[in-house]
Amino acid sequence: MITLALSKGRIFDESLPLLAAAGIEVLDDPERSRKLILATNRADLRVVLVRASDVPTYVSHGGAHLGVAGLDVLLEHDDGLYRPLDLGIARCRLSVATRADFDYASAVRQGSRIRVATKYTQMARRHFAAKGVHVDLIKLYGSMELAPLTGLADAIVDLVSSGGTLAANRLLEVERIMDISARLVVNPAALKIERETLRALIDAFERAVQARA
Ligand code: ATP
Ligand code: MG
């Protein structure tokens, strides 16, 4: 039995068409059932629903053979997962945003110390270190937009897709750090043991991604 880890929401929703193109149909609707293990039309394949940030943990520790996770989650997690395939789904970008009255460009140019609130401390640390910008990182778990509005931070590093949430909170996207999309990750040991089945699945995903491009 092959176990595929997905997270509820956009990863699950956007994975469905790729699974369908690979001939896989998930037999339960996670929005209507409370099941965490979902059967598929294939007797040898099941889906487990985990928190988006738990997908790498499941896959690297063998709780799932493979999984779909955002590049943001993978780069924050940093471990040796076999990362074969950009699925091109759940697209967004990691950006720096500030209040309109904060002059980010000047602060960077003058070498000032900037207070940055984020859930993505690893990626933020790497980004600002590469630019030589001095930052005090403040770890948050959600509602990042609030930080510059309350004076907790000068800037945030967060995922942006439409920009609607930033606009609703009158924040400006002042720097784009990187483009993000979801990847298919595979447990390297599982790839050796279940080589044929997993290879066939990865190839099917690959064809589905190419067919959409
Ligand atoms: P949870 O909601 O369980 O705390 P999460 O916020 O990481 O976890 P989702 O909101 O389902 O989970 O996001 C899953 C993935 O979707 C993210 O890791 C990211 O790769 C991608 N994504 C695409 N657009 C956005 C966006 N605007 N905001 C957040 N994530 C996005
Ligand atoms: Mg979320």
Side-chain angles (χ1 to χ4, degrees):
M1 173 72 83
I2 301 292
T3 302
L4 167 67
L6 297 177
S7 55
K8 248 172 145 168
R10 70 191 102 213
I11 297 275
F12 183 86
D13 297 344
E14 297 187 31
S15 292
L16 281 186
L18 290 174
L19 288 169
I24 298 158
E25 198 190 324
V26 182
L27 301 179
D28 296 290
D29 174 0
E31 298 305 328
R32 278 191 292 152
S33 103
R34 292 184 191 186
K35 285 186 199 167
L36 296 175
I37 301 180
L38 311 179
T40 74
N41 61 333
R42 273 178 52 170
D44 67 339
L45 178 71
R46 63 180 183 176
V47 168
V48 291
L49 293 177
V50 304
R51 212 41 204 270
S53 47
D54 290 336
V55 169
T57 307
Y58 269 82
V59 175
S60 55
H61 294 279
H65 295 85
L66 69 179
V68 177
L71 182 60
D72 51 314
V73 167
L74 295 174
L75 291 178
E76 283 296 308
H77 195 85
D78 60 22
D79 56 10
L81 286 170
Y82 178 52
R83 206 171 304 168
L85 191 55
D86 182 352
L87 298 175
I89 59 168
R91 284 180 189 276
C92 55
R93 54 195 185 271
L94 187 73
S95 292
V96 182
T98 66
R99 266 165 52 164
D101 60 3
F102 182 78
D103 191 347
Y104 178 68
S106 296
V108 167
R109 209 175 324 111
Q110 289 163 5
S112 325
R113 228 182 156 78
I114 303 174
R115 289 169 306 146
V116 179
T118 187
K119 179 173 162 186
Y120 307 98
T121 48
Q122 304 282 358
M123 282 184 284
R125 182 174 291 112
R126 271 178 243 143
H127 171 71
F128 292 113
K131 282 176 62 117
V133 176
H134 301 288
V135 290
D136 287 321
L137 291 175
I138 302 165
K139 169 85 182 182
L140 290 179
Y141 294 90
S143 302
M144 253 83 77
E145 300 79 15
L146 204 51
L149 304 179
T150 54
L152 178 70
D154 303 309
I156 58 171
V157 166
D158 198 7
L159 297 177
V160 181
S161 45
S162 67
T165 307
L166 290 182
N169 291 289
R170 300 206 202 168
L171 296 177
L172 293 183
E173 185 176 3
V174 292
E175 185 175 28
R176 181 189 275 241
I177 299 176
M178 71 172 84
D179 289 324
I180 301 284
S181 57
R183 317 282 150 135
L184 184 69
V185 287
V186 183
N187 176 288
L191 194 58
K192 293 203 182 97
I193 299 158
E194 301 275 6
R195 177 149 200 103
E196 309 230 314
T197 321
L198 288 178
R199 205 60 257 179
L201 260 178
I202 296 165
D203 290 346
F205 271 110
E206 199 150 27
R207 284 194 300 274
V209 171
Q210 278 164 2
R212 278 162 47 114

